[in-house]
Amino acid sequence: ERVERGEDTRTTVMVKNIPNKYTQKNLLEQFDVHHAGAYDFFYLPIDFKNKCNLGYAFVNFRDPRRIAPFFREFADKRWERFNSEKVCVVRYARIQGKAALVSHFRSSRLMLKHDKYRPLLFSEGGTPETILPIARDR
């Protein structure tokens, strides 16, 4: 309610209890049905050894008022795919805002892994691009 009235300006949520079989592509397809273009940052952490997600994701919305419709659609609902019993949880993330997320993840060890597992940034037109790592001196 505070979000819809513009009183809460946080923009980043953590989506939890994601079934491990969901891929970045599956999850983005589901989010984009009603929320395409609403967010500018997405990250689904992956267990590199098992090649499956860790059960949570981060989404940063361009406008905090877009969080309420997202929350209504996903929070406390069972996931549609993979016959999962898991119930989605949507909470505000500890790190808030696109710039803070980029800064946090850009210096992370995950940036040394394959770029298909990196966080995604989305242009106004919805085109995804991966975050480039900080160049390290050798």
Side-chain angles (χ1 to χ4, degrees):
E1 199 173 289
R2 291 184 66 231
V3 174
E4 290 173 327
R5 290 194 311 256
E7 295 172 11
D8 194 326
T9 59
R10 291 178 287 182
T11 57
T12 309
V13 296
M14 182 179 192
V15 180
K16 303 195 285 188
N17 287 343
I18 300 168
N20 299 100
K21 290 181 182 178
Y22 268 85
T23 64
Q24 190 177 71
K25 183 178 185 287
N26 298 144
L27 200 54
L28 286 171
E29 284 172 352
Q30 195 164 346
F31 289 172
D32 281 351
V33 170
H34 296 118
H35 307 283
Y39 52 90
D40 55 13
F41 178 97
F42 172 86
Y43 178 47
L44 177 67
I46 299 294
D47 176 335
F48 300 112
K49 182 179 174 189
N50 297 318
K51 302 279 193 280
C52 61
N53 79 65
L54 296 177
Y56 61 93
F58 298 98
V59 182
N60 186 71
F61 288 86
R62 297 177 195 281
D63 182 333
R65 293 171 295 191
R66 298 295 298 266
I67 291 174
F70 181 88
F71 183 87
R72 285 192 295 271
E73 181 175 351
F74 291 103
D76 303 321
K77 308 274 189 336
R78 283 185 48 200
W79 292 95
E80 294 176 358
R81 297 185 181 183
F82 307 115
N83 199 26
S84 176
E85 294 295 317
K86 289 187 174 186
V87 175
C88 179
V89 173
V90 179
R91 298 285 182 263
Y92 281 112
R94 181 178 55 84
I95 299 170
Q96 285 293 314
K98 178 181 174 183
L101 290 162
V102 169
S103 175
H104 175 79
F105 288 112
R106 181 169 274 157
S107 59
S108 164
R109 283 187 14 230
L110 79 91
M111 297 306 289
L112 304 174
K113 301 292 184 185
H114 193 287
D115 45 324
K116 78 175 185 176
Y117 299 126
R118 291 180 185 163
L120 294 175
L121 299 176
F122 292 87
S123 66
E124 289 285 337
T127 306
E129 60 185 59
T130 60
I131 295 176
L132 298 175
I134 293 174
R136 299 193 188 280
D137 295 334
R138 297 194 190 242

